[in-house]
């Protein structure tokens, strides 16, 4: 997984993602519902989730979903390393996070924890 300098996570984040990925061996990534805040402000900016990926298991359908609804915060989820190694990883190109996620979607499902 990657972590940004300004991220905070629930203490169960990794263990719950691992547990869920163990239940779904075809999963390439596990992502929690995410809340975004602006530093110094108490009001939540927005939330993201993978609800639109629920039940989307076909390769083409998963890829299409990344084009339509993949939240950028999935980059800070947990990835199955054996599937990550099949990708070009995080390259020095424009929108490399989106490219990585789209390629990842070819190899496995995206799942989430609450």
């Amino acid at each position: 997984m990657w972590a940004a300098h300004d991220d905070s996570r629930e203490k169960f984040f990794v263990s719950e993602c691992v547990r869920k990925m163990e239940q779904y061996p075809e999963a390439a990534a596990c992502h929690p519902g995410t809340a975004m805040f602006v530093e110094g402000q108490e009001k939540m900016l927005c939330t993201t989730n993978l609800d639109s990926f629920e039940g989307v298991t076909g390769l083409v359908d998963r890829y299409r979903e990344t084009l339509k609804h993949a939240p950028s915060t999935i980059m800070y989820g947990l990835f199955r390393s054996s599937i990550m190694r099949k990708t070009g990883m995080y390259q020095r190109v424009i929108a490399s996070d989106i490219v990585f996620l789209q390629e990842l979607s070819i190899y496995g499902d995206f799942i989430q924890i609450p």
Side-chain angles (χ1 to χ4, degrees), residues 24-40:
Y24 295 90
E26 68 284 354
C30 185
H31 180 264
T34 303
M36 288 184 253
F37 295 86
V38 173
E39 188 174 350

Side-chain angles (χ1 to χ4, degrees), residues 16-30 54-55 57 80 83 107-113:
E16 286 299 308
C17 283
V18 168
R19 184 189 60 75
K20 183 87 175 211
M21 290 183 85
E22 286 174 342
Q23 292 174 342
Y24 295 90
E26 68 284 354
C30 185
E54 287 290 325
T57 57
R80 190 174 305 280
I83 294 177
Y107 298 112
D109 297 335
F110 290 177
I111 58 176
Q112 69 181 344
I113 59 171

Side-chain angles (χ1 to χ4, degrees), residues 66-114:
T66 66
L67 295 172
K68 294 188 297 186
H69 297 118
S72 59
T73 57
I74 194 172
M75 281 305 296
Y76 304 108
L78 192 68
F79 302 103
R80 190 174 305 280
S81 60
S82 60
I83 294 177
M84 277 182 73
R85 285 191 285 276
K86 294 179 182 180
T87 72
M89 299 292 274
Y90 196 79
Q91 300 179 20
R92 293 185 63 168
V93 297
I94 294 172
S96 59
D97 55 343
I98 302 302
V99 172
F100 170 72
L101 294 174
Q102 289 171 330
E103 188 177 7
L104 199 66
S105 76
I106 292 170
Y107 298 112
D109 297 335
F110 290 177
I111 58 176
Q112 69 181 344
I113 59 171

